[in-house]
Amino acid sequence: MRLIPKALAPKLLALTLAVTLAVVCVISIALFANSRIIVDRFLNDSVESRRENLVRQFESQAVQATASLEREIDSLARDRRYADLQRSLDESATELESAHSIQVFDDAGRLIGAAGPLNHQTPIDAASDTVEWRDTALLVTRDILLAGKRHGELRMAFSLTAFQNDLNAFRERQLNARRGWQSNATTWVLITSLVVALLCGCLSWLAARRLVRPIEAITRQARRMQQGDYGEPLRLARSDELGELATAFDSMRDQLRQTTISRDYMDNLLSSMNDAVIVTDDHGAITHCNAAAVSLTGYTETQLLGMPIADLVIDEDRDKLTSSATTNQPQEARFVTNDGRQMPVSWTASDVETGNALMSGRIYSAQNITERKRSEERIRYLARMDPMTKVPNRMQFQHLLQRASARARRSKHTIGLFYLDVDQFKDINDTFGHLAGDTTLEILTQCMSRALPEGAVIGRLAGDEFAAFIDNLPNDATARTTLKETADRLLLEIAEPFDVQSNEVYMTASVGIAVYPNDADNVIDLLRNADAALYAAKKAGGNRMMFYDTRMNDDAVERLMLKSRLRRSFERDELLLQYQPKYELATGQIVGAEALIRWEMPGKGRIQPNDFIPLAEQTGLIIQIGEWVIERVCEDVASWHRDVGDPGRIAINLSLKQLRKRNFFDSVNKIFSRHAIKPSDIEFEITETTLMEDIPRTIEVLEKLQAYGLQLAIDDFGTGYSSLSALQKFPIKTLKIDQSFVRNAANDDNDAAIISAIVDMSRRLRLEVVAEGVETEAQLAFLRDLRCDFGQGMLFGEPMDAQEFGKRLLAQLDGTDQHKALFA
């Protein structure tokens, strides 16, 4: 058994050498210090001895100089020759460089002479025949004696400057000598210590070299391990403790390599997670966190480590976050980020179970739910409010109306409900675009807010349908008056022009009013009745208000029944087509007809177009009905061509939705091809309103139809708002004068002037003119006098089916047409 391990031997040697060096240094320093004390003592003794000698010498010289002067002036003082006395003193002061002051007093103590720099100062207080050393001078006092008798006193002060300079010069020479000795001694001490240190260093280096190299190799491997590089095994061919340490280090490195692989994998997993992961100890201090936690909180990882997790949440949420209970179900809290913001998070927590008390704690998983919260708030808002107009939607409005009706029921008050719809809102959308339509609805909401009294609730029910109610109205006749005045004010406010996309737009609306509880005792019926009143107002022409009447429900039920049965009319073959002949007024010849659709409803009889065509427009069935009409007309035209010859041009009414259909032209072309008829056999009639919608696109479609060979006509001319300048741009062949002008043309000068102007204008524009609604011979005569081109109406017979119209064509060929006589 070794008493001293091999690895410790170099250390003990180095320690011994270091102690030896320290002892040498201490002895050298002690000898140097002792020598310095001796030198300082010798220096002080020499200076003191020199001072004593200089004192004796200076004092002796001062006394001799005083005595010599006393002998020189004793007779002058006795004879009171003060002028000679003063002159002698001045000469002595000049000769004696060290004399600082000379004063002479008589036997009565009066100053009788003085010389030197202090000759005007107060006399020096000193005893007679004395030598006194003061701070800056040596004072010598001597009695003036002559023949043994005292005649006065001489006082002389000698400056110590020369004395001090001599003493200081001596001391400086001694100090220089000491510094030289000290420098030499220090040099020898340093040289000796350096030599000893070098010897000790060499021995220590040789001893430590064998010890340090293995340690450096182990240190390099440890640093590489910190960076994740475990390197190769250490190869130390040693059998001492360092060899054992290298073997243990290699074993630890292999174990760490396996552990680190698992740890790095887990760290990568945690860092890759989108959820923030925070691990705390038993005291709630954070011991680990992933990158998502750093990003979530805004703190750096260094700031988070050691921070109590309670500091990350607001005060109200700390208890539930720091409680010991686990939370498998997500809970919500508000984190406080590094910049002070509050952030909603969803979190779960569970205990860390390792079986090691030192590794216990809790692990938290959290995620930012700010966007989810915003979405929830947005959903809650959209569930109640209309996002465009910022007023309650249908559901919220009904809820508010329900609450108001409950209050009214308790307080015996009434509620006035306004149901509002924009007149021809579709025209604004189609003309200026949907963005302009949205702007119009926003402006409408503002108008309602200004016109309605404070406290009224406004809601958007659908599209351009709005509603508003006023509660706390008295249950008497004044309520109806108040509602009417409010509705009138509302319609006037809405009718004010406004700008949309730099265009001045005029808007009108129709309003239906129902009163709770007089018209209905529940919200659903109240809204339905107000809607019925609104429909009645729109049917009456719009831009007006109407109160609910019980008869309106019958009309609403009728409308609803027509809508549902109109969809099945095709399947049941209830639609039929009739033709109204068109005559040339100059010759009385049939030159064509206008196709008119009818609806034969079982149990209800014939439904007129004015009753079901608007419903078809609303439901979108107008496109399907329009195609059915074109198909049947082409089929009848082909039949007439086979049986009776040329029937002339058959006019078919087109709706705006048909023109807007993308494949409308292709659909028409296929029908014509299928029945082998010429496009010139058909004439499409378009109303002025339809014509002025989206003019560029309308012109494009009409020009394509004209190029195809179809004739185009404007129906009900004079009742719309077409621009005469725009009229020139359209490829129109025919104008049809509305029957409202023809009806009283023979008796009303205004209608006659209008028809005359239209005929004259058409002739100048090379357009054909057709007068609709000719019912009397007087009307016929009037039109013929104006040289109107064509006419149609009840005067020439009721509208007829295809077979009857074929017979009329045959009668014309045979010359047996009974209406021929009208043109005789």
Side-chain angles (χ1 to χ4, degrees):
M1 179 178 180
R2 293 191 300 271
L3 296 177
I4 301 177
K6 294 180 181 180
L8 294 181
K11 292 183 178 180
L12 294 177
L13 178 60
L15 179 61
T16 302
L17 293 175
V19 170
T20 302
L21 178 61
V23 170
V24 171
C25 292
V26 169
I27 293 174
S28 299
I29 293 172
L31 292 174
F32 175 79
N34 187 52
S35 300
R36 183 172 179 178
I37 293 173
I38 295 173
V39 171
D40 290 342
R41 186 176 300 170
F42 174 77
L43 175 63
N44 293 333
D45 292 343
S46 298
V47 172
E48 184 62 25
S49 176
R50 178 65 176 176
R51 182 179 181 282
E52 291 176 357
N53 291 333
L54 289 175
V55 167
R56 286 193 299 268
Q57 182 180 356
F58 189 77
E59 185 176 334
S60 175
Q61 293 175 355
V63 170
Q64 290 178 4
T66 304
S68 177
L69 181 59
E70 184 270 331
R71 287 190 298 271
E72 184 178 341
I73 64 171
D74 55 359
S75 59
L76 298 176
R78 182 194 62 184
D79 298 336
R80 298 183 183 279
R81 291 182 295 174
Y82 295 138
D84 295 336
L85 176 65
Q86 184 63 46
R87 193 164 40 250
S88 179
L89 291 178
D90 292 338
E91 291 175 356
S92 297
T94 303
E95 293 174 357
L96 296 175
E97 296 179 356
S98 61
H100 189 66
S101 175
I102 303 175
Q103 295 175 332
V104 178
F105 300 89
D106 62 9
D107 54 357
R110 294 188 298 272
L111 180 68
I112 59 176
L118 302 178
N119 56 349
H120 297 298
Q121 293 187 0
T122 304
I124 303 172
D125 184 17
S128 299
D129 293 332
T130 60
V131 177
E132 182 179 353
W133 288 85
R134 295 194 176 183
D135 294 337
T136 59
L138 175 64
L139 178 64
V140 179
T141 305
R142 185 177 178 85
D143 291 336
I144 301 175
L145 299 175
L146 184 64
K149 185 179 180 179
R150 185 178 183 274
H151 296 283
E153 186 180 76
L154 172 65
R155 298 178 182 176
M156 293 184 68
F158 295 89
S159 174
L160 297 180
T161 302
F163 170 78
Q164 291 294 343
N165 290 341
D166 192 3
L167 183 61
N168 290 337
F170 180 77
R171 181 182 288 110
E172 184 64 28
R173 288 194 299 274
Q174 294 293 36
L175 289 174
N176 290 335
R178 189 188 71 173
R179 282 193 290 268
W181 174 86
Q182 182 176 348
S183 176
N184 293 333
T186 302
T187 302
W188 280 108
V189 170
L190 291 177
I191 292 173
T192 303
S193 300
L194 181 61
V195 171
V196 174
L198 289 175
L199 292 175
C200 292
C202 292
L203 294 176
S204 298
W205 180 80
L206 292 174
R209 183 178 181 184
R210 179 176 172 80
L211 178 66
V212 170
R213 282 188 175 182
I215 295 176
E216 289 179 344
I218 295 175
T219 302
R220 286 194 299 271
Q221 288 284 47
R223 289 175 178 172
R224 292 173 64 183
M225 287 171 58
Q226 289 178 349
Q227 300 174 358
D229 181 8
Y230 294 94
E232 299 295 331
L234 293 171
R235 293 183 175 84
L236 296 180
R238 300 177 63 124
S239 59
D240 56 3
E241 286 80 1
L242 284 177
E244 296 175 358
L245 176 61
T247 302
F249 184 85
D250 287 337
S251 177
M252 180 185 69
R253 185 194 59 231
D254 294 338
Q255 294 179 2
L256 283 176
R257 177 185 285 118
Q258 299 300 323
T259 303
T260 302
I261 292 174
S262 300
R263 187 200 63 193
D264 291 345
Y265 178 71
M266 292 303 299
D267 287 343
N268 289 334
L269 286 180
L270 292 177
S271 298
S272 301
M273 291 179 63
N274 293 326
D275 292 353
V277 177
I278 299 175
V279 181
T280 64
D281 58 18
D282 289 337
H283 304 291
I286 298 175
T287 60
H288 185 80
C289 60
N290 65 350
V294 173
S295 176
L296 179 71
T297 61
Y299 291 95
T300 63
E301 184 176 0
T302 304
Q303 291 174 320
L304 284 175
L305 296 180
M307 178 189 295
I309 193 171
D311 292 351
L312 290 179
V313 295
I314 63 175
D315 296 340
E316 294 85 345
D317 297 336
R318 286 185 178 179
D319 291 339
K320 60 182 180 181
L321 187 73
T322 57
S323 63
S324 58
T326 59
T327 56
N328 295 325
Q329 296 298 325
Q331 298 190 28
E332 294 183 4
R334 282 169 290 176
F335 274 20
V336 180
T337 62
N338 190 22
D339 56 5
R341 293 183 297 107
Q342 291 189 8
M343 176 187 299
V345 298
S346 174
W347 62 274
T348 58
S350 59
D351 294 330
V352 178
E353 298 178 357
T354 61
N356 186 347
L358 298 177
M359 299 178 65
S360 61
R362 303 192 79 196
I363 181 169
Y364 295 85
S365 176
Q367 59 180 201
N368 185 357
I369 58 173
T370 301
E371 290 302 324
R372 193 185 81 186
K373 285 291 185 182
R374 290 176 181 170
S375 299
E376 291 175 354
E377 292 177 2
R378 180 66 174 169
I379 290 172
R380 284 194 293 269
Y381 178 82
L382 293 178
R384 298 180 296 106
M385 306 296 289
D386 176 61
M388 183 176 67
T389 58
K390 308 299 186 297
V391 298
N393 57 16
R394 175 182 285 273
M395 182 179 298
Q396 180 67 5
F397 182 81
Q398 289 182 354
H399 174 68
L400 297 175
L401 183 58
Q402 180 68 45
R403 294 173 57 182
S405 64
R407 292 193 301 267
R409 186 181 303 110
R410 292 192 298 269
S411 61
K412 306 301 182 183
H413 288 146
T414 61
I415 299 174
L417 175 63
F418 298 86
Y419 207 118
L420 182 146
D421 184 83
V422 180
D423 297 330
Q424 304 299 325
F425 177 71
K426 186 173 177 296
D427 295 341
I428 299 177
N429 259 339
D430 295 339
T431 303
F432 301 107
H434 290 283
L435 181 60
D438 294 343
T439 304
T440 301
L441 295 181
E442 294 175 5
I443 294 174
L444 174 64
T445 307
Q446 298 170 8
C447 293
M448 295 179 67
S449 299
R450 291 192 298 266
L452 294 173
E454 184 178 359
V457 178
I458 303 172
R460 183 185 181 192
L461 305 186
D464 60 333
E465 294 182 6
F466 288 80
F469 68 83
I470 305 173
D471 57 359
N472 294 325
L473 294 174
N475 193 7
D476 54 29
T478 60
R480 191 178 181 91
T481 303
T482 301
L483 293 175
K484 183 181 184 307
E485 293 174 352
T486 303
D488 292 338
R489 185 170 59 251
L490 176 60
L491 292 177
L492 289 175
E493 182 72 30
I494 294 174
E496 290 292 326
F498 57 92
D499 290 334
V500 173
Q501 300 176 356
S502 301
N503 295 301
E504 190 175 50
V505 177
Y506 293 88
M507 173 176 58
T508 62
S510 300
V511 178
I513 303 176
V515 180
Y516 174 90
N518 301 338
D519 296 329
D521 59 357
N522 62 81
V523 171
I524 301 301
D525 291 342
L526 191 66
L527 285 169
R528 185 182 67 235
N529 294 342
D531 186 22
L534 169 65
Y535 181 81
K538 294 185 75 69
K539 190 173 182 181
N543 192 25
R544 66 188 65 202
M545 55 77 59
M546 293 193 72
F547 282 92
Y548 168 73
D549 186 272
T550 55
R551 292 171 297 182
M552 295 177 180
N553 274 339
D554 298 335
D555 295 338
V557 172
E558 180 71 17
R559 267 196 331 274
L560 183 61
M561 182 193 69
L562 289 178
K563 282 184 180 180
S564 62
R565 298 194 62 173
L566 182 60
R567 295 183 179 277
R568 297 193 298 271
S569 61
F570 293 98
E571 302 172 2
R572 300 177 177 179
D573 197 23
E574 294 174 356
L575 296 179
L576 55 88
L577 207 59
Q578 291 187 326
Y579 298 92
Q580 188 172 48
K582 181 172 61 176
Y583 282 83
E584 185 177 13
L585 299 185
T587 63
Q589 296 292 320
I590 297 176
V591 292
E594 179 180 1
L596 303 174
I597 188 171
R598 298 290 184 265
W599 182 12
E600 198 72 35
M601 183 188 298
K604 291 289 292 184
R606 181 165 295 182
I607 309 298
Q608 295 301 315
N610 291 339
D611 294 328
F612 71 87
I613 291 299
L615 296 178
E617 290 277 0
Q618 295 177 11
T619 58
L621 287 173
I622 191 66
I623 294 178
Q624 188 176 358
I625 292 175
E627 291 182 355
W628 179 84
V629 170
I630 296 174
E631 183 80 35
R632 291 296 302 271
V633 168
C634 290
E635 182 180 342
D636 290 339
V637 169
S639 176
W640 292 326
H641 273 294
R642 288 193 305 268
D643 300 336
V644 298
D646 186 9
R649 288 199 307 268
I650 306 300
I652 301 174
N653 290 283
L654 290 183
S655 70
L656 179 61
K657 289 187 177 181
Q658 286 179 277
L659 280 178
R660 286 181 174 174
K661 186 179 178 183
R662 293 185 177 276
N663 60 346
F664 173 70
F665 178 80
D666 295 335
S667 176
V668 170
N669 187 26
K670 289 180 181 178
I671 295 174
F672 286 179
S673 299
R674 185 161 52 248
H675 296 284
I677 65 171
K678 301 187 299 292
S680 58
D681 292 333
I682 302 298
E683 182 179 63
F684 283 152
E685 294 183 0
I686 308 168
T687 64
E688 287 182 90
T689 302
T690 301
L691 196 66
M692 299 305 294
E693 294 286 349
D694 193 2
I695 293 177
R697 173 170 172 78
T698 303
I699 291 177
E700 178 184 354
V701 175
L702 296 183
E703 287 179 346
K704 195 172 184 180
L705 293 174
Q706 184 193 41
Y708 184 57
L710 284 163
Q711 300 295 321
L712 302 173
I714 296 181
D715 194 16
D716 300 332
F717 186 76
T719 60
Y721 55 92
S722 60
S723 168
L724 295 180
S725 60
L727 190 62
Q728 302 178 43
K729 303 176 184 179
F730 296 107
I732 300 300
K733 182 67 175 177
T734 305
L735 295 182
K736 299 189 71 173
I737 303 174
D738 188 71
Q739 60 182 350
S740 60
F741 299 111
V742 177
R743 184 176 301 113
N744 300 317
N747 305 318
D748 190 308
D749 293 340
N750 292 330
D751 288 343
I754 292 174
I755 294 177
S756 177
I758 294 174
V759 172
D760 185 61
M761 178 193 68
S762 301
R763 185 177 298 110
R764 294 178 183 275
L765 294 176
R766 296 183 177 86
L767 299 177
E768 297 178 352
V769 182
V770 179
E772 296 182 298
V774 181
E775 298 180 353
T776 66
E777 294 185 15
Q779 294 170 355
L780 177 60
F782 171 75
L783 293 171
R784 294 186 68 184
D785 290 340
L786 289 178
R787 295 166 56 193
C788 180
D789 298 319
F790 308 103
Q792 65 183 60
M794 300 300 290
L795 180 62
F796 310 119
E798 295 280 347
M800 58 198 71
D801 58 22
Q803 185 178 3
E804 187 65 27
F805 183 69
K807 293 179 179 180
R808 177 74 64 92
L809 292 175
L810 288 175
Q812 178 176 265
L813 291 176
D814 297 340
T816 59
D817 184 5
Q818 59 182 353
H819 298 91
K820 184 71 173 179
L822 296 173
F823 301 94

